[in-house]
Amino acid sequence: MRKTIIAGNWKMYKTIKEAIELTTGLKREFFKLDFAKVDVVVCPVFTALSEVSEVLNETGIGLGAQNVYWKEEGAFTGEVSPAMLKDAGCQYVIIGHSERRQFFGETNESVNNKIKAALKVELTPIICVGENLSQRESNNTFKVIEDQIKNSLADISPEDMLKTVIAYEPVWAIGTGKTATPAQAQEVHAYIRGLLKALFGAEVSSSLRIQYGGSVKPENITELMNQPDVDGALVGGASLKVDSFSAIVTKASEVKK
Ligand code: PGA
């Protein structure tokens, strides 16, 4: 059985003070949450990581960053290394989010380097894949996903793959209010699982958690989670408020698989 994992991607929102407020609110809401049923992760901006880490201390809520560079240290102005994220209190890092691919030139090759570097210091990568609208409309969804999965995950061992999480985020559903239907999500999740089986074997395919992302909200989380291959969610907009994020987590934790 795969344990549900819900992660909040706060994107470029929240000052340190606001991040602390949101974290404190979540901590209060999740005081009685059964963390045996669900992993919860929040991913603030770099500047708020250490302070959020202090607030999260021993709550059971995990901390993730939204990006990382693959070198250990050096003359790389503006970048942050995997060990530095660990130092700030992170256990997770989002890698290859579509906004990074779209606006910051991230490629499957850079995503691959980042995953390997994160795994080296035992950070759990949340690896994002997903097609854009024109790719979907031209019936290229599976081809795009196959290309992203094969190349982003090149030369990673099955053993290491077991330490990762994949997020399927159709770009056309991110921040648009348009969620993929549960059937559309399930179709691609099952396809990804099939690819994982061919590339890494049956154990990885059956154990690796695949989150859905793209306009997830309290109103649609249950039907998404009801799909057999949807193991959680990567939540943007709705993770910025205590009420909506805690409702998503609670509802997701109640879905019996
Ligand atoms: P959204 O973002 O929930 O606001 O659509 C999801 C994401 O980008 O991870």
Side-chain angles (χ1 to χ4, degrees), residues 9 11 97 99 169 173-176 213-216 234-238:
N9 172 11
K11 307 196 178 182
H97 189 278
E99 284 149 18
E169 299 204 302
I174 295 179
T176 57
S215 301
V216 172
L234 181 55
V235 186

